Amino acid sequence: MRFYLRLSLLFSLIAASGVSVETVQAQRIAKYGADFLAGGVGARALAMGGAYIAVTNDVYAGFWNPAGLHNVKTAEASYMHAERFSGVVSFDYAGFATPFSEKSVIGITLIRSGVNDIKNTLDAWDPERNQPKLDPQSSITTFSAADYALFIGYGRKVNDRLAIGVTSKIIRRSIGEFAQAWGYSMDVGVQYRSNSWAFGLTIQDVTTMLQSWSVDTGSLANLKDVFGDDLPEGGTEVVLPVLRFGVAKWFEYSKGRLLLSMDTDVAFDGQSANSFGAGDVSIHPRMGAEYSYADVVAFRAGFNRIQSVDGVGLDLTPSIGAGIRLGHAALDYGFGDFAGLVSDLGYSHRISVQYAFSSGE
């Protein structure tokens, strides 16, 4: 009975999301309000182009698709560090998952993405003299622009082929002492496996994400000459749901295994530039492949962005990587052009480690 109550709640939340979308008309829709999460987590997944919705079946499922958590048999922990935009943006992820009952697993995900040591020169300017102070360096400080996320996920096995899951998310965003924001939302997921096929669906921000910004106008007083009387103000932004579909197929060999996967994201926030779709609906496909030998070493490749660029044509953003598994531990590396071939924003390196605790530890 408890399971059916949970299932009813899950689908009630999906239905409620339709009502939530109607209420955002009076609020500002943020096209990139949670973009720091769009890159994904786990070097294995990212080396496969992020085509991971149907594939995920371990601690990383707390981020990709909470339904995949159901496959965690013992406690697992993971960590990833990535440098984006040639090292300008630092990205850190930590995850933990453990069985809650015979059919249920709970997962916790922590993420920080930020730009550190940004120079604050506001106090180095003398507005009365309309020029820098005599010793401007002594008045220059530094601050960080950072985004934080906490995911608490729950995955449950319905039967041998079907699993469902739900994730509660809390987002914290800050731009030094100038502006702060909190955001809240939920994801729901389904995963179905049959023989060598797997299918997945995640509805990201199913209830829509509300981000409430507050601005410290006092810290921006020195910018009054720039903004006049229209200093930035706080407000509420809305991040609309995204549908993420995935399909995967395994091919078994003597000691090897080939995995092919493809995901498609369907967004409704007007991110139409260079993407497939029409109007406010945009479609973002991803593809990935992995060949593993004896469940010890693996080689991966994928495309984490497939788009059409005016004047350029089809733009494919590739990624590659490799991994090794020794006993309970796994080490993975991924490399990719984070910004795409038509940009000069640099490459991204991702390194992640994962450890599965045995039942006796």
Side-chain angles (χ1 to χ4, degrees), residues 1 6-7 9-10 55 58 71-72 104-105 134 146 155 180 201 203 205 221-222 229 246 251 254 258 270 290 296:
M1 178 62 69
R6 294 191 187 102
L7 188 61
L9 176 60
L10 183 65
V55 176
D58 52 17
N71 195 65
V72 174
S104 304
V105 176
L134 296 179
Q180 315 287 329
L201 167 65
I203 306 179
D205 300 319
N222 289 344
D229 294 329
F251 301 88
S254 57
L258 175 65
E290 175 189 70
V296 176

Side-chain angles (χ1 to χ4, degrees), residues 226-246:
V226 176
F227 290 101
D229 294 329
D230 298 324
L231 287 174
E233 297 180 353
T236 300
E237 294 181 339
V238 176
V239 179
L240 298 181
V242 176
L243 304 182
R244 312 186 73 179
F245 302 92

Side-chain angles (χ1 to χ4, degrees), residues 14-233:
I14 296 176
S17 66
V19 178
S20 299
V21 172
E22 294 181 1
T23 65
V24 306
Q25 300 302 322
Q27 297 168 323
R28 185 169 65 250
I29 295 178
K31 292 185 179 182
Y32 307 99
D35 204 46
F36 74 100
L37 300 174
V41 302
R44 180 196 180 199
L46 298 179
M48 294 176 60
Y52 214 61
I53 298 299
V55 176
T56 186
N57 64 351
D58 52 17
V59 61
Y60 295 105
F63 174 88
W64 292 101
N65 183 348
L69 286 170
H70 82 279
N71 195 65
V72 174
K73 306 304 180 185
T74 64
E76 293 183 10
S78 57
Y79 173 76
M80 183 189 88
H81 177 76
E83 298 288 340
R84 294 175 169 173
F85 302 115
S86 298
V88 174
V89 179
S90 177
F91 185 94
D92 291 279
Y93 150 88
F96 179 79
T98 185
F100 179 68
S101 67
E102 183 179 349
K103 295 184 177 182
S104 304
V105 176
I106 290 179
I108 298 176
T109 299
L110 294 170
I111 293 173
R112 181 192 185 273
S113 177
V115 179
N116 303 314
D117 298 325
I118 303 172
K119 300 292 185 182
N120 178 7
T121 61
L122 293 179
D123 292 333
W125 183 261
D126 187 343
E128 295 183 358
R129 298 170 56 239
N130 197 30
Q131 58 182 303
K133 293 181 179 179
L134 296 179
D135 184 16
Q137 292 297 327
S138 63
S139 300
I140 296 177
T141 59
T142 61
F143 68 95
S144 297
D147 299 315
Y148 302 85
L150 168 64
F151 291 17
I152 301 177
Y154 172 83
R156 182 176 179 85
K157 180 179 179 181
V158 178
N159 54 46
D160 290 340
R161 296 186 175 184
L162 180 66
I164 61 174
V166 60
T167 295
S168 296
K169 303 194 299 187
I170 301 175
I171 308 297
R172 170 68 169 170
R173 312 188 70 186
S174 64
I175 306 175
E177 61 180 5
F178 309 111
Q180 315 287 329
W182 287 95
Y184 310 90
S185 71
M186 299 180 69
D187 297 348
V188 296
V190 178
Q191 202 173 67
Y192 180 85
R193 298 199 175 212
S194 176
N195 299 324
S196 59
W197 287 89
F199 305 88
L201 167 65
T202 298
I203 306 179
Q204 183 177 294
D205 300 319
V206 62
T207 56
T208 72
M209 177 188 291
L210 297 178
Q211 293 186 7
S212 300
W213 282 93
S214 61
V215 177
D216 182 1
T217 55
S219 63
L220 298 175
N222 289 344
L223 290 179
K224 194 165 179 117
D225 291 338
V226 176
F227 290 101
D229 294 329
D230 298 324
L231 287 174
E233 297 180 353

